[in-house]
């Protein structure tokens, strides 16, 4: 089964600049590929596929030193993301929806690049090696990749000033659970994140509520900033930093809870909830306005802060592996 392993990168100043150049080169490639598809359909009624653009990439690499100096699987990742966006657009149109057409990516909306297969990159002695980054790039291997597993692909992502790598690793599932006869039922909620069938409660740490004041001050400061100013960019980064810390605290807690449950029980039953419906707004329409809108909005915030749907998702793949 495929699992995701995420590690923080520790690039040097030179490597940091190289990552930024790679990010920008892949953004331009994505936009150029989108432009090619749009113009081919507009002028000739021709549909361009991912295979066609991969062939064009081979020609581009023959005369463009920028793309020739980087692994081909890196550029193919960007073309695959565009193909996914186009496929998703036409799938939503087919279902009768009115989706927006894939957009050209500005710098503010392009924060990732990757390798569509583990080729042209390797890990040696705790360092990442790939061109055109000079030298091995350190990464914080806080947990080892299981022996005998294989890395299928990876994605580099910039969050603020920090870089992360996410690897898709093919890991073998356990042959048998150590407690085959154990079973538990789980009731998720807000007062307690989960209540087990034996009466045990799992704490809801409420990560957003704990940083509510800090987040509110940052958002108010952002609202007072002039659009397009340097100060607004700095304050927006401050808001994003607080939100990332909230997300990290929530994910850490959910991982710990789901891992503990999957190790203790061989059968886990969770109530069948329609959490998307449970967090809908009660505002209603102008003709039929809703009631107790503020109370429902507060309940929605508490549900989203607890993230029971995310807990169930983590339980699903962790139980499958166990």
């Amino acid at each position: 089964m495929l699992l995701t392993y995420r590690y923080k990168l520790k690039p040097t100043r030179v490597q940091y600049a190289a990552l930024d150049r790679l990010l920008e080169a892949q953004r331009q490639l994505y936009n150029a590929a989108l432009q090619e598809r749009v113009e081919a359909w507009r002028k000739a009624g021709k549909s361009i596929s991912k295979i066609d653009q991969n062939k064009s990439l081979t020609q581009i690499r023959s005369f463009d030193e920028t793309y020739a100096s980087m692994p081909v699987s890196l550029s193919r990742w960007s073309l695959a993301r565009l193909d996914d966006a186009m496929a998703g657009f036409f799938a939503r149109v087919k279902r009768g929806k009115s989706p927006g057409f894939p957009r050209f990516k500005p710098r503010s909306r392009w924060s990732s690049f990757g390798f569509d297969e583990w080729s042209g990159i390797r890990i040696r002695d705790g360092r990442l090696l790939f061109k055109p980054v000079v030298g091995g790039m350190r990464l914080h291997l806080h947990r080892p990749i299981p022996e005998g597993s294989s890395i299928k692909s990876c994605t580099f992502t910039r969050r603020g000033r920090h870089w992360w790598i996410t690897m898709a690793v093919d890991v073998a599932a356990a042959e048998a659970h150590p407690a085959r006869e154990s079973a538990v039922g789980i009731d998720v909620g807000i007062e307690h994140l989960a209540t087990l069938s034996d009466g045990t409660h799992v704490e809801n740490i409420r990560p957003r509520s704990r940083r509510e004041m800090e987040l509110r001050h940052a958002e108010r400061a952002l609202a007072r900033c002039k659009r397009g100013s340097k100060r607004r960019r700095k304050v927006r980064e401050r808001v994003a930093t607080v939100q990332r810390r909230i997300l990290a605290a929530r994910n850490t807690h959910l991982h710990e809870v789901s891992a503990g449950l999957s190790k203790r029980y061989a059968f886990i039953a969770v109530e069948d909830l329609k959490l998307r419906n449970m967090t809908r707004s009660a505002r209603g329409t102008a003709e039929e306005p809703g009631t107790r809108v503020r109370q429902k909005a507060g309940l929605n915030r508490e549900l989203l802060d607890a993230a029971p749907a995310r807990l169930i998702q983590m339980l699903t793949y962790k139980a499958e592996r166990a």
Side-chain angles (χ1 to χ4, degrees):
M1 60 181 297
L2 284 178
L3 293 181
T4 299
Y5 284 73
R6 182 170 175 261
Y7 302 104
K8 187 174 183 180
L9 298 175
K10 298 180 178 181
T12 63
R13 183 175 298 181
V14 174
Q15 292 170 345
Y16 196 99
L19 290 173
D20 281 344
R21 289 193 296 270
L22 282 173
L23 184 68
E24 176 61 15
Q26 296 309 309
R27 183 184 73 87
Q28 293 180 4
L29 179 63
Y30 180 97
N31 288 341
L34 176 57
Q35 180 70 22
E36 181 188 23
R37 292 197 181 208
V38 171
E39 293 298 327
W41 180 260
R42 181 181 298 166
K43 295 180 178 180
K46 181 182 178 182
S47 178
I48 303 294
S49 67
K50 183 176 71 171
I51 296 176
D52 296 329
Q53 293 192 318
N54 281 334
K55 292 178 180 178
S56 299
L57 176 63
T58 302
Q59 298 176 358
I60 293 171
R61 287 169 55 85
S62 66
F63 63 84
D64 192 310
E65 294 183 359
T66 300
Y67 294 100
S69 64
M70 59 186 69
V72 65
S73 59
L74 195 154
S75 297
R76 285 175 179 170
W77 182 92
S78 302
L79 298 179
R81 296 294 75 74
L82 173 60
D83 192 66
D84 292 341
M86 297 294 291
F89 168 75
F90 288 114
R92 289 189 290 274
V93 170
K94 192 174 182 179
R95 292 197 297 267
K97 298 183 179 181
S98 300
F101 191 78
R103 296 187 292 181
F104 293 99
K105 300 294 185 181
R107 289 177 183 266
S108 60
R109 287 182 174 270
W110 186 263
S111 58
S112 299
F113 67 87
F115 290 74
D116 68 335
E117 59 184 21
W118 192 254
S119 174
I121 181 172
R122 65 186 187 275
I123 299 177
R124 188 175 66 188
D125 299 331
R127 292 177 180 267
L128 278 174
L129 302 172
F130 65 98
K131 294 181 179 180
V133 177
V134 178
M137 186 183 303
R138 291 195 304 151
L139 68 162
H140 179 47
L141 287 168
H142 61 276
R143 60 169 178 163
I145 297 174
E147 294 184 6
S149 59
S150 59
I151 304 174
K152 297 299 184 181
S153 62
C154 68
T155 303
F156 292 78
T157 305
R158 185 178 63 188
R159 291 286 180 262
R161 295 174 298 171
H162 306 285
W163 280 92
W164 304 80
I165 182 172
T166 304
M167 305 179 192
V169 183
D170 191 0
V171 179
E175 294 182 359
H177 196 277
R180 296 187 181 184
E181 303 301 323
S182 57
V184 68
I186 299 178
D187 179 20
V188 296
I190 296 176
E191 183 64 27
H192 303 287
L193 175 61
T195 300
L196 309 187
S197 54
D198 59 5
T200 306
H201 296 300
V202 177
E203 179 188 8
N204 178 14
I205 63 171
R206 292 179 166 84
R208 190 181 190 278
S209 298
R210 292 183 178 184
R211 291 186 176 269
E212 185 70 34
M213 191 63 67
E214 183 182 1
L215 181 61
R216 189 176 299 173
H217 287 171
E219 289 177 340
R220 286 177 178 175
L222 181 64
R224 292 193 295 267
C225 294
K226 182 179 178 181
R227 290 187 177 274
S229 65
K230 292 183 178 179
R231 180 172 179 270
R232 182 177 176 86
R233 289 197 295 270
K234 292 180 181 179
V235 176
R236 184 171 57 195
E237 178 56 32
R238 191 194 314 165
V239 174
T241 299
V242 177
Q243 292 174 337
R244 284 195 296 270
R245 288 173 178 170
I246 293 171
L247 177 62
R250 181 185 298 117
N251 282 342
T252 298
H253 182 61
L254 295 178
H255 275 298
E256 291 174 350
V257 172
S258 56
L261 290 171
S262 63
K263 290 177 182 178
R264 289 166 55 191
Y265 301 102
F267 180 84
I268 303 173
V270 185
E271 56 184 326
D272 186 14
L273 295 177
K274 303 299 181 183
L275 292 164
R276 185 184 295 271
N277 296 338
M278 291 172 62
T279 54
R280 283 182 178 173
S281 172
R283 188 173 299 173
T285 62
E287 294 77 14
E288 298 181 2
T291 58
R292 303 178 67 84
V293 178
R294 290 177 63 87
Q295 292 85 341
K296 184 61 169 63
L299 176 63
N300 289 349
R301 278 196 300 271
E302 291 292 328
L303 271 171
L304 294 172
D305 193 21
R310 180 70 172 144
L311 174 64
I312 295 171
Q313 181 187 28
M314 289 182 179
L315 273 173
T316 302
Y317 81 82
K318 283 185 169 64
E320 180 183 355
R321 183 187 180 188

